[in-house]
């Protein structure tokens, strides 16, 4: 069976998508490149903080980690910079995540970058990438492997989630399908 490739899926220049799965406990980031309808993982990372650290310290760790990752990949540029939406029920849930959001926004700002899109809900990402808006972490990781051909292990769910966020963007832009 031959896979159909639409004209929008044929791109000589690779499209690079930087995606953040943002949390304060263990955020993940991925850089996905799409060329000619095929997505591949260029790099991914995560960092862990603990609740024993102050919010200021945790934010600084996330900021430094994000700056390091962005700096390692910025020479080729990013066509899209995206992140997952978080909707906590209480300020105790929201505050730590929004602290991490601020850290990643500051890291991007260091390089005169910003998020290119509004945040995307987890259910929407799962629906497009997995085909099921209620998919579990293993289903997301398996779908990421199918889309990218990645055969390695993910250091955490946050890495595979970050790749899924980038894949969502590639799918909705008609770059893969």
């Amino acid at each position: 069976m031959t896979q159909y490739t639409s004209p929008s899926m044929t791109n000589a220049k690779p499209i690079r998508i930087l995606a953040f799965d943002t949390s304060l406990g263990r955020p993940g980031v991925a850089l996905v490149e799409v060329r000619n309808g095929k997505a591949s993982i260029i790099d991914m990372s995560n960092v862990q903080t603990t609740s024993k650290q102050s919010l200021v310290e945790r934010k600084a760790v996330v900021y430094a980690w994000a700056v390091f990752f962005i700096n390692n990949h910025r020479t080729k540029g990013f066509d899209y910079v995206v992140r997952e939406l978080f909707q906590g029920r209480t300020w105790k849930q929201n505050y730590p995540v929004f602290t991490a959001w601020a850290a990643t926004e500051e890291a991007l700002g260091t390089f005169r970058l910003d998020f290119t899109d509004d945040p995307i809900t987890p259910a929407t990402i799962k629906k497009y990438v997995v085909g099921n808006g209620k998919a579990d972490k293993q289903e997301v990781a398996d779908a990421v492997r199918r889309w990218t051909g990645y055969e390695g292990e993910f250091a955490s769910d946050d890495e595979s989630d970050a790749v899924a966020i980038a894949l969502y963007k590639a799918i909705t832009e008609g770059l893969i399908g």
Side-chain angles (χ1 to χ4, degrees):
M1 180 173 156
T2 304
Q3 182 180 2
Y4 169 74
T5 303
S6 76
S8 64
M9 288 184 192
T10 305
N11 52 310
K13 176 193 173 284
I15 303 298
R16 295 165 52 92
I17 305 168
L18 178 65
F20 286 91
D21 178 44
T22 312
S23 70
L24 194 56
R26 188 186 296 245
V29 64
L31 178 58
V32 172
E33 189 172 272
V34 181
R35 183 189 297 259
N36 298 325
K38 175 72 174 133
S40 59
I41 299 169
I42 302 302
D43 196 7
M44 58 191 157
S45 177
N46 74 85
V47 67
Q48 188 169 7
T49 68
T50 71
S51 59
K52 292 180 181 181
Q53 296 169 297
S54 71
L55 283 176
V56 172
E57 183 180 357
R58 295 172 83 183
K59 181 182 177 194
V61 168
V62 172
Y63 169 79
W65 160 81
V67 165
F68 183 77
F69 190 90
I70 294 164
N71 187 60
N72 282 344
H73 298 287
R74 71 187 173 111
T75 57
K76 292 184 180 177
F78 309 109
D79 297 285
Y80 300 100
V81 182
V82 293
R83 66 178 161 194
E84 183 179 59
L85 179 65
F86 177 79
Q87 296 173 304
R89 293 182 206 148
T90 69
W91 71 270
K92 286 185 178 186
Q93 292 175 321
N94 288 330
Y95 192 73
V97 174
F98 293 146
T99 299
W101 271 30
T104 57
E105 287 174 357
E106 288 175 24
L108 288 166
T110 299
F111 301 101
R112 294 184 194 89
L113 299 168
D114 200 355
F115 288 97
T116 55
D117 294 74
D118 289 335
I120 310 135
T121 66
T124 300
I125 294 163
K126 292 173 183 179
K127 180 179 174 188
Y128 277 81
V129 175
V130 181
N132 174 2
K134 295 182 180 186
D136 64 27
K137 296 290 188 182
Q138 187 60 53
E139 290 171 309
V140 171
D142 291 344
V144 163
R145 285 187 176 89
R146 281 191 303 276
W147 280 103
T148 65
Y150 181 71
E151 295 178 357
E153 292 299 317
F154 296 104
S156 73
D157 294 335
D158 308 285
E159 290 183 357
S160 55
D161 287 353
V163 174
I165 296 164
L167 292 172
Y168 163 85
K169 184 63 179 171
I171 293 165
T172 60
E173 290 296 323
L175 301 171
I176 59 175

